[in-house]
Each structure stands twice: as structure tokens, then as C-alpha cells.
Amino acid sequence: MPKDSRQRTNDGALSFTRRAWLQRAGSVAAISALPFRSALAAQSASDVMIKLSSYMNAAAGRSIPDEVSEKAKQHILDTFAAMISGAGLPPGRAAMRFVESYAGGKTATIVASPVLCGAIEAALVNGMLAHSDETDDSHAFSRTHPGCAIVPAAFAAAEQFAVDGTRLVRAVTLGYDVGCRLTMTLGGVDFQNKEHKSTYSFAGTFGAAAAAGCAANLTVQQMRWLLDYSSQQASGIAAWQRDTEHIEKAFVYGGMPARNGVTAALVVNSGWTGLDDILSGSDNFFEAYGPKADPAGLVESLGERYEIARTNIKKWTVGSPIQGALDAMEVLLKRRTFAVADVREVTVRLANTEATIVNNREMPDVNLQHMIAVMMIDKNVTFRSVHDKPRMNDTAVLAARQKVKLIPDEQLESKLPRRVAIVEISFNDGTKISERIDAVRGTPENPMSRDEIVAKSRDLISPVLGSETAAKLIEKFLALEKVKDVRELRPLLQRS
């Protein structure tokens, strides 16, 4: 009993204050009402909420198809490679400075550093590392980069609750299913373009929460509250597109939603309650953000269509709209040997909205003209050349860049979310060669092989952690079902 809940009478005997009696009566009433409250919750929840929360609750113990598990492991590896390589880039360094100055618990790993901290801070920092540049995966249908928020959140919660590798794979798979469906239900690209909201952070928050909730083994009822706290934290506006340093973008895509998701899972796990159905009733999530949306989209084909299997892994560490153009250049360079001096003009056709994103941007990894110029000169594009910002002022690159013409194409706009690219090179001798890419390498229609993903990951991890550690990490991630406690990965993920 709290000290201020009782007083002494004139004869020294203890008596309870009126406030104490009211508090005690309220506690008793609350306890006695719990079974009734649970029954009421079950009755008041919508069909969508009942189906979604039940699916989320069962995810930890539900087997998934082998091919989906393989895809999940590849995306987990790819995202950790993005985190590790991102540690040395400006957004990664900014995130490291934050966590090094912030005193927290010592339960979770900060990748590519010696730091241990609380799960919430680890999710934030590792999320920023994962989107320090354009290395991480993307999901075209939902207009999201799911991995950079979901994988860090799942891993932070998995460390917090000491889960095994199989649970981590299932948690990540669930996160993609929930997060991607959310923004598809809200309208995908239209939600961002017309409503000025960030699809990336909305999907990331819900996906990260679902993954963290799976790792925390939340009940059906707790999953409903998890969705409530995800809704209250849903945020992000499309102004991130004006960020020229990629730091705010890393926060919006990865750090913020990963933090939000783990926060939602941990507060609910600690005993917080909330609304039983934030998806229906007055002032619900869809009334706030998608009045015309059909909530049934959240549960469409759950358990049949796995969104992680429809998510792209990038071959090139550049913005998604540039991927197809570089694929085309690679084909053309194999078809004909030429020097930059032989070229009169290179025209690249992209969908209107895609062209706007990558047209002469300040950052090299999202500047199509610059990356095509580098490809012509080097005959290849690497992680190092993509992030060589001083080279944007190199006279040879600038000269090559002047030959590159980006043409927004209305016909290709109708092909979205398929990112079609057409590249034509006109030579000084009057000849021309061209290539059309309808299925970008790394998309479900033209997937990268396991060997290609391993090679990409090795190139990203080895410069930071060393080739021996990179090989061990890759082996561990591709056999996560053998990992008994995800904290076994910590010695391999950190560096002094």
C-alpha cells in the first residue's frame, strides 16, 4: 500500500483515506471486469481485425513454404549487408553519434560498432544504417523499402527476447506481409503523391511492429493493441524528397519506423492496453488516413501471397529508377566495345514519375545522368564509385554526363509498378544500339540468384568487417534455422 494511502487517527491507529478506498475499489473493479472486457473485445472487433490479429499471433509457430523462407533469409542477409556498408556513410555516422551519446540498456546490438544499447535505440540506429544509401530492398506494389525498417526491428526484439533464427525468419516474413499490405490498401503511390504522406514510414511502422510483436510472442489481444499503438505513431510526410544529405531520408525510411514498431511491441508486452480495434469505429485509422480505402485489403490472401516473395533485391546500389537503365547499359557494353569519345548521345527513357526522382539530383546514387556517365567510363558501377561524391565534379565525368539525356515517357508510366527502362546510344559514326529492360534484375520477374546475392553481400560486408567475418556471417544468415539464439550473431556483427 503506498505511504500516502493511509493516515493515523488521534489514538495512533492506522486508517485508510477516502482516496485510498476509492483507488482500492477501482482496482478491484478493474480486475473483476477483465474477463468481461476480453469477451467484449472479442465481440466488438471487426472481421478484419479478428482475422489480422489472429494471423499475426499464430505467425511465430506457423511454418512457411521453403521458397518463402529462402527469400526471407536472402532479404535478411541483404538488409544486414546494407546496414554494415552504411555504417561509414553520413547517415550511418550521424546515427552512431546519436547512440554513442545516449545512455540506454545493453540488450541489443548496433551493427558494425562495439555499442550495445536498448532495443528501441538499436532499431532506430540500425534502421538508419540500413537506408544510409540505396542498397536496401524495395517493394514496388506498396511503394516501400520494407527491409530497412522491418529487419532491424525484428532483430532488436529478437535479441530482447532471445528467440531463435526460425522465429526471426517468420517475424520478418510477417512484417513484410503486414507493412506492405497497409500502404497497398491506402493506395500505394497515390497515397504519397496525392496525400503527401510517406508510404515508406507508414508501411515500415506497421511492418516493424508486426515483426517485433511476433518476436515478443504477443497474444491475439496484444496484437490488436500493437496495431493501435502503430496507428498512433503512423507518421511521415513526402517532404523527405527534398533531403539532399540522405540523413532525414534514412530516418523516415528506416530509423523512425523501426523505432516505432519496437516501441509498440515493448509497451504492449509490458502491460499497456489500448483500443481493441483501431481499424473500425469512430475516429479509426482509415477515417484518418484513407477514408476511401477498404480495410479488407489488409487481410487479402494472407498465408497465400507472401509479400517478401514480391520484394526486389537491388543488383546495383543506386536508386530504384536507375536499376533498369544500368541493366540496359550492362547489356549494351557487352554487345559493343566503345570509348566515351565514340558516343554522341545516350538517351534514357523512364516513366514520368521515375524520371523526376533521379533527374540530375545532388546525390550520386540517385542521379541517373551521373551514374550512366560513370558506367560509360568505368564499364561497371560499384558501391565505391556510387558513393564517390567528389567525382561528380570530375571533368571527365562531367563531359560524359553532358551526353546523357533523360526523357520522361508517358507510355512507360502506364507500366508502373514495373520499372521499364529504354536506353539508346547514338555514336559519332551514325550507328545506334538500344536495349529495353522490362524486368529489372532482382525483381520477382527476373530474380537474382543466391550466388549473386552472396557476392553483393560479400562486397558490402568485407571492407567493413573483413572477408573472414563476412563469409561466416553470410553462412549464418543463410542457415538461420540452425541458430538457437540470435544473440549468437553479435560477435560477428560488431567491430571494435
Side-chain angles (χ1 to χ4, degrees):
M1 187 69 65
K3 291 181 179 179
D4 66 346
S5 67
R6 54 187 183 175
Q7 296 176 347
R8 289 193 179 272
T9 62
N10 291 335
D11 62 359
L14 287 172
S15 69
F16 292 101
T17 64
R18 179 175 180 273
R19 178 184 176 190
W21 277 112
L22 288 172
Q23 288 176 334
R24 187 179 183 191
S27 299
V28 171
I31 293 170
S32 64
L34 281 175
F36 172 74
R37 190 187 195 291
S38 298
L40 184 63
Q43 294 171 5
S44 63
S46 63
D47 290 342
V48 169
M49 176 58 81
I50 291 170
K51 185 173 182 180
L52 181 59
S53 58
S54 298
Y55 185 86
M56 292 167 66
N57 165 255
R62 182 175 50 242
S63 296
I64 55 179
D66 290 344
E67 63 273 19
V68 176
S69 177
E70 171 67 14
K71 282 287 289 182
K73 289 186 287 187
Q74 290 177 5
H75 280 273
I76 291 169
L77 169 61
D78 184 68
T79 305
F80 270 95
M83 290 184 214
I84 293 165
S85 62
L89 299 176
R93 293 197 298 270
M96 291 291 191
R97 287 195 299 272
F98 162 76
V99 77
E100 287 168 0
S101 66
Y102 187 88
K106 305 292 184 183
T107 60
T109 303
I110 299 297
V111 168
S113 86
V115 177
L116 296 177
C117 63
I120 293 172
E121 293 79 22
L124 187 156
V125 173
N126 288 335
M128 289 193 67
L129 297 186
H131 194 70
S132 282
D133 72 336
E134 300 298 328
T135 305
D136 53 311
D137 63 19
S138 65
H139 186 273
F141 304 97
S142 60
R143 190 72 166 195
T144 61
H145 281 223
C148 63
I150 293 166
V151 174
F155 187 65
E159 285 192 287
Q160 177 85 15
F161 298 102
V163 308
D164 60 24
T166 297
R167 172 78 70 88
L168 177 63
V169 169
R170 293 173 180 174
V172 168
T173 302
L174 175 67
Y176 279 65
D177 279 338
V178 173
C180 294
R181 275 176 172 79
L182 179 89
T183 51
M184 284 192 290
T185 301
L186 289 172
V189 65
D190 283 345
F191 180 64
Q192 179 161 295
N193 293 343
K194 295 179 180 179
E195 304 300 327
H196 309 288
K197 303 293 193 304
S198 170
T199 50
Y200 304 93
S201 53
F202 272 69
T205 291
F206 279 79
C214 180
N217 202 28
L218 299 184
T219 66
V220 173
Q221 177 64 79
Q222 288 175 315
M223 287 296 189
R224 295 174 187 175
W225 295 333
L226 177 82
L227 292 168
D228 181 24
Y229 284 101
S230 299
S231 298
Q232 292 292 1
Q233 295 181 93
S235 59
I237 57 177
W240 60 260
Q241 295 174 101
R242 291 188 276 138
D243 173 28
T244 60
E245 297 297 328
H246 217 285
I247 293 175
E248 181 177 351
K249 189 168 183 276
F251 177 71
V252 172
Y253 276 50
M256 178 178 71
R259 178 205 65 191
N260 290 350
V262 173
T263 299
L266 293 186
V267 298
V268 170
N269 183 73
S270 73
W272 290 23
T273 60
L275 300 185
D276 294 319
D277 191 353
I278 192 63
L279 305 180
S280 67
S282 61
D283 301 316
N284 66 69
F285 174 81
F286 286 104
E287 278 191 342
Y289 293 114
K292 296 181 181 180
D294 182 1
L298 290 176
V299 295
E300 182 184 343
S301 301
L302 271 178
E304 300 171 13
R305 188 186 75 227
Y306 293 90
E307 295 306 328
I308 200 164
R310 302 205 302 164
T311 304
N312 310 322
I313 290 181
K314 292 179 179 177
K315 176 178 180 178
W316 313 97
T317 57
V318 298
S320 293
I322 305 176
Q323 299 286 320
L326 291 183
D327 282 352
M329 285 295 296
E330 184 178 51
V331 172
L332 295 174
L333 285 165
K334 291 177 180 177
R335 188 181 305 168
R336 176 169 172 173
T337 301
F338 61 86
V340 176
D342 300 327
V343 176
R344 180 173 60 83
E345 183 179 70
V346 179
T347 61
V348 181
R349 295 181 181 273
L350 299 178
N352 291 353
T353 52
E354 301 292 285
T356 300
I357 294 170
V358 296
N359 184 28
N360 277 321
R361 296 291 300 279
E362 300 88 345
M363 297 171 284
D365 55 342
V366 288
N367 185 316
L368 179 133
Q369 291 90 339
H370 175 73
M371 294 318 309
I372 295 294
V374 170
M375 187 77 159
M376 280 197 291
I377 294 169
D378 296 354
K379 313 306 179 189
N380 192 19
V381 165
T382 65
F383 180 80
R384 184 173 181 178
S385 65
V386 163
H387 298 96
D388 188 354
K389 192 167 184 178
R391 199 176 178 194
M392 295 185 79
N393 296 316
D394 181 84
T395 54
V397 174
L398 288 172
R401 184 169 157 178
Q402 290 298 314
K403 300 183 178 188
V404 182
K405 182 179 181 181
L406 175 58
I407 302 175
D409 192 314
E410 186 63 39
Q411 291 185 343
L412 299 187
E413 185 78 12
S414 65
K415 304 293 184 182
L416 292 173
R418 185 175 294 227
R419 286 174 156 136
V420 178
I422 303 172
V423 176
E424 181 179 84
I425 303 178
S426 301
F427 294 96
N428 294 325
D429 63 6
T431 60
K432 297 180 180 181
I433 55 175
S434 65
E435 182 68 19
R436 177 187 174 112
I437 300 295
D438 286 290
V440 172
R441 189 65 172 164
T443 61
E445 298 79 18
N446 186 15
M448 293 170 66
S449 67
R450 176 188 263 218
D451 287 345
E452 285 179 292
I453 294 167
V454 167
K456 173 189 172 183
S457 300
R458 186 186 300 115
D459 289 343
L460 294 174
I461 297 171
S462 295
V464 182
L465 299 181
S467 56
E468 184 178 348
T469 299
K472 291 178 180 177
L473 262 180
I474 291 168
E475 182 180 359
K476 285 280 191 182
F477 279 125
L478 293 178
L480 274 170
E481 66 276 4
K482 297 179 182 179
V483 175
K484 302 302 181 186
D485 182 337
V486 296
R487 290 175 295 188
E488 296 172 19
L489 301 170
R490 183 178 294 168
L492 296 173
L493 287 169
Q494 293 203 296
R495 66 174 179 177
S496 60

